Structures are given as structure tokens and as C-alpha cells.
Amino acid sequence: MTALPAAASLGRKPGGNHHAGTPRHLGGAGGTLLAGRAAAQAFPDRPIRIVAPYAAGGQSDTVIRLLAPKMSEFLGQPLVIENRTGAGGSIGAGVVAQAPPDGYTLLFESFAFLVVPFIVKGLTFSYETAFAPVGQAVALPYVLVVRKDFPASDLAGFVAHARAHPGVSYGTPGIGTPGHLAGALLESRAGIRLEHVPYRGGAESARDLAAGSIDAAIGTANTFGPLVQDGRIRGIALTSAERRGSLSGLPTIAESGFPGFDITSWNGLFAPSGTPAPVLARLEAALAHATGDAETRQRLALTGNEAVTESAAAFAARIRRERPVVRQIVEQTGIRAD
């Protein structure tokens, strides 16, 4: 992951004794640095484009449109949301990767940011080096649930049944989704074999699970929470490191015998690598302003999203921590894009 530019690199020129008497037409690297600092101080002075690489009305699009008004309020400029779909999100990501690193073209991504590089072939840019994290916006907890007559009521029972009956089926919102990765990771950690049943979304898997057509499912707590509360299906465990979301009464997989287990979907904001540090800092503050707003947090919660206000450094650390885990799961399971 490319580190954020050091503040010193924007504020001091290497070598020499530049001072108030520096010539007007400062050339070379020094001039470039001064120009970059001046641009950062004026940022933003025009609308900012945010590329959402998924369809309008979907998870990422919904979240950024809820955040945009408060971010715009903070920045004093409009935010223009542009949906550029295709190839698992890589088409939209490619647009931002090739944009000038000035803060005026940003990427609002999902957990797929970590998955796509390992399952989509022919990418013309590197997800690892092309972007600078601005901040995580929301977390979207996932949960393992089973049909109401499944012969287990906790994770230990689920694993024991799966060991005795290889091929227990579990539905997810699709190939390469957090639900799929969580299932694959559980298989690896528990030494069991499950049958993955990919759907075109969480609602379809929820419908079939409630009907008893599949044994289990892994999807968002928002999708399955009402069915658990109605007793139509049974909740087993959350895939996140901590208890969170509408099903926070359930234990986590991590606390149920598999320490360190953590698959949590998220959405976050990225800028092209090389964006000046002061610009990144202002964007980070704008995102924090939006995610910290009480009304916005409530509206996000209604969509099943938990607002997250953390530093860009913490978000970058999460990505560095999760990328090798995702790589290992993909390599072990042979997951490939449709």
C-alpha cells in the first residue's frame, strides 16, 4: 500500500537555503512542491466527482448519497456522484486510478476493493498502489444463519454437523462477496467442507433459507435480522471481530472457537495515489464530519450500515491487514469472477 505523502515533503525543499529571498520563478522540484502546496490550500474550489463503481441504488451508491450532503456542507462544494459499473467495480476504479491526483476525482469502494485484484484478470492498474485511503465510511456486519429446523443452535454444533455430513449448503449474495469469503475461511479454519450456493443478492438466499431449500446462509445482518427475530430462521454467529449491528446479541465466530476470525464488509473513500497530504486531510475531515452527524448515522442504520469514524491511517491499516487474508482465501478456493 502506497504510504500517504509525508507532510515534510510538501513543506520543505531538500538541500539549499531557500528563504524569503528565493527567486520569483522557482524552477524544478522546489517549484512543483510550492505549486502543490498552494493548490492544496485552495482546495476545493470546484465540484468534486465521486465515482461509485456499482449500480445506482445498490449498497455503495446508497451510502455515498447519504453521506454526500454533509461532506458537501463541510467542503463548500457540490459532490457529483457518478456510477461507472462493470467488471466487479474495476472499470470505475480504473477511471479514478488514471485521474489527476488533485482530490477532485475520488473512488467510493466496497470490500470488493480487496477481492477484485485476485479474481479479475487483465487489470491495467494496481489496487495496491494506485489509491490513497481517505477513510472508512461504514461497516456492514455479516452473519451465519441456518434454517429453523437445522440440527444445531450454535457454531460448535454447526461445525460438528458439517464434519459428520460434508456438503452442508450455504447461500451467499454471490461469488467473491464477503459472505462467500467468510464461508471459505470457516471451511479452512474448521476443517469442514460446505457447498457454496451463490445467489444474485441476499434477498434471494434469505427467501430460499426461510423455505428450507438450503441449509444455511451468510449475508448481512440487515437482510437476515427480521427473519431471525420472527423465528423463521436461526442465527448462529457473526463473522465480524466484535458483536455489532441488529444481531449483536449473537456471538461472533471469533469468540466461538476461532480467534482472529473477522470478515466484515465495508465502504470507504479513496483518492488517487500522489494526492497531496493536505488535500487528503481535508477530505478525511469531510468524511468524518458526515459519518459523525447524528441524523446521517441514523439514516445509515436504517439501511443496515454502521457509520464508522476513523482516521485514514486506521483504514489503511485495515486494508493492509485484510489483503493477505483475502489473497489466501482466493488462492485456496480458486474463486474466480463469473
Side-chain angles (χ1 to χ4, degrees), residues 115 118-119 170 175-177 179-189 192-194 196 325-337:
V115 183
F118 305 122
I119 67 174
Y170 76 102
I175 293 174
T177 59
H180 186 193
L181 294 178
L185 182 58
L186 181 60
E187 285 185 277
S188 175
R189 293 285 302 273
I192 57 178
R193 183 175 65 80
L194 305 173
H196 178 228
V325 176
V326 171
R327 179 198 293 270
Q328 183 179 17
I329 295 171
V330 171
E331 290 177 348
Q332 287 179 347
T333 60
I335 296 172
R336 290 292 180 269

Side-chain angles (χ1 to χ4, degrees), residues 284-298:
E284 178 184 350
L287 181 60
H289 175 74
T291 58
D293 176 71
E295 182 180 353
T296 301
R297 293 175 73 91
Q298 184 177 19

Side-chain angles (χ1 to χ4, degrees), residues 24-61:
R24 243 179 106 184
H25 300 291
L26 184 62
T32 301
L33 290 171
L34 285 178
R37 183 169 63 181
Q41 289 173 341
F43 179 84
D45 61 6
R46 62 181 187 273
I48 295 172
R49 176 173 64 150
I50 299 185
V51 175
Y54 307 103
Q59 161 70 13
S60 297
D61 180 72

Side-chain angles (χ1 to χ4, degrees), residues 119-204:
I119 67 174
V120 174
K121 295 181 179 180
L123 293 177
T124 59
F125 63 95
S126 167
Y127 274 82
E128 189 168 358
T129 60
F131 304 101
V134 173
Q136 183 179 345
V138 298
L140 192 61
Y142 270 60
V143 62
L144 169 64
V145 290
V146 296
R147 52 184 167 82
K148 63 180 180 181
D149 58 349
F150 190 82
S153 57
D154 58 18
L155 188 63
F158 178 87
V159 169
H161 181 80
R163 283 175 179 160
H165 303 85
V168 168
S169 59
Y170 76 102
T172 73
I175 293 174
T177 59
H180 186 193
L181 294 178
L185 182 58
L186 181 60
E187 285 185 277
S188 175
R189 293 285 302 273
I192 57 178
R193 183 175 65 80
L194 305 173
E195 178 187 351
H196 178 228
V197 183
Y199 287 84
R200 292 184 178 273
E204 292 185 12

